[in-house]
Amino acid sequence: MAFSADELRVLRRALAVALHPAPLQDEDVQDALRLAESVDEAVREAGRLRAFLVDDLARYREALPGSLSGYLELLQDALAAGYDPAADDLAALRALRRNPAAAALLARCQILAERSVRARLARVSQATTTPAAATSAPRARLLALPGGRAAADEPKPRPPAPAERPVPKPSEVFPPRRRPVPPPPPEERVAG
């Protein structure tokens, strides 16, 4: 992520205030809030790009071996964006390891997959040994800076959820069938 010169100026001022609390002007508070919104949008955009890459990678993987060069290129892009190779990727690369580029990428993906598994295992073991309150929480949205004024009002109460409709009984959805009335016997028919 890259910051412009103005964004760096705002970030430097916010860090200075965090280290040495002082009253902030309204303009500084608004600049910091705009920067926080820009960072949040950049994070969302990176997530959308990563999802697109992963979907595209799956399409190319399904079209293998005909899409070999495109698949290898997309996999390298996805790895550069922080993608952890999945079991399907490793299986596809093993099937293509006669190709030197695929063999080199397989070696890299095996290392990354092993690191990813070890990191997940470490997180799981850490989560089971630490209390739930000590686990890291997701980044909260910046609402105010020390010495500044709150940019947003108190959180508004959520409207009550609409009452759930009761599940209808089968007899309400499918009314009982009426039996057809049999035609009268031939003796009772009157000829006209």
Side-chain angles (χ1 to χ4, degrees):
M1 182 180 306
F3 291 105
S4 70
D6 287 336
E7 290 171 334
L8 284 174
R9 178 183 50 80
V10 170
L11 186 59
R12 191 177 67 225
R13 273 187 296 170
L15 289 173
V17 168
L19 292 173
H20 305 288
L24 288 176
Q25 296 177 2
D26 288 344
E27 181 182 328
D28 292 339
V29 172
Q30 293 303 320
D31 288 344
L33 290 172
R34 278 194 293 275
L35 178 61
E37 289 173 5
S38 296
V39 169
D40 288 343
E41 178 58 32
V43 168
R44 285 191 297 272
E45 183 62 29
R48 287 190 292 265
L49 176 62
R50 184 165 184 241
F52 174 77
L53 275 173
V54 170
D55 289 344
D56 217 15
L57 186 63
R59 283 191 288 276
Y60 273 79
R61 186 175 48 240
E62 290 171 7
L64 284 173
S67 63
L68 176 65
S69 63
Y71 173 71
L72 295 177
E73 185 178 326
L74 275 173
L75 182 57
Q76 288 174 348
D77 290 345
L79 292 174
Y83 172 71
D84 288 328
D88 292 340
D89 295 313
L90 295 173
L93 289 171
R94 282 187 192 108
L96 301 168
R97 67 176 135 206
R98 288 185 183 163
N99 180 308
L105 201 53
L106 174 62
R108 180 178 171 202
C109 286
Q110 285 175 330
I111 292 169
L112 292 173
E114 183 177 330
R115 283 183 193 161
S116 175
V117 168
R118 288 181 190 273
R120 276 186 267 147
L121 289 174
R123 281 193 303 266
V124 168
S125 66
Q126 183 182 15
T128 58
T129 59
T130 59
T135 60
S136 61
R139 179 177 151 326
R141 188 164 188 270
L142 177 65
L143 294 178
L145 293 175
R149 67 176 177 84
D153 298 329
E154 291 295 319
K156 296 176 181 150
R158 300 181 91 185
E164 291 188 26
R165 293 178 41 199
V167 177
K169 298 177 190 171
S171 62
E172 294 172 339
V173 177
F174 305 106
R177 289 189 190 172
R178 302 197 190 278
R179 295 185 181 229
V181 178
E187 305 90 42
E188 294 178 12
R189 291 188 196 164
V190 179

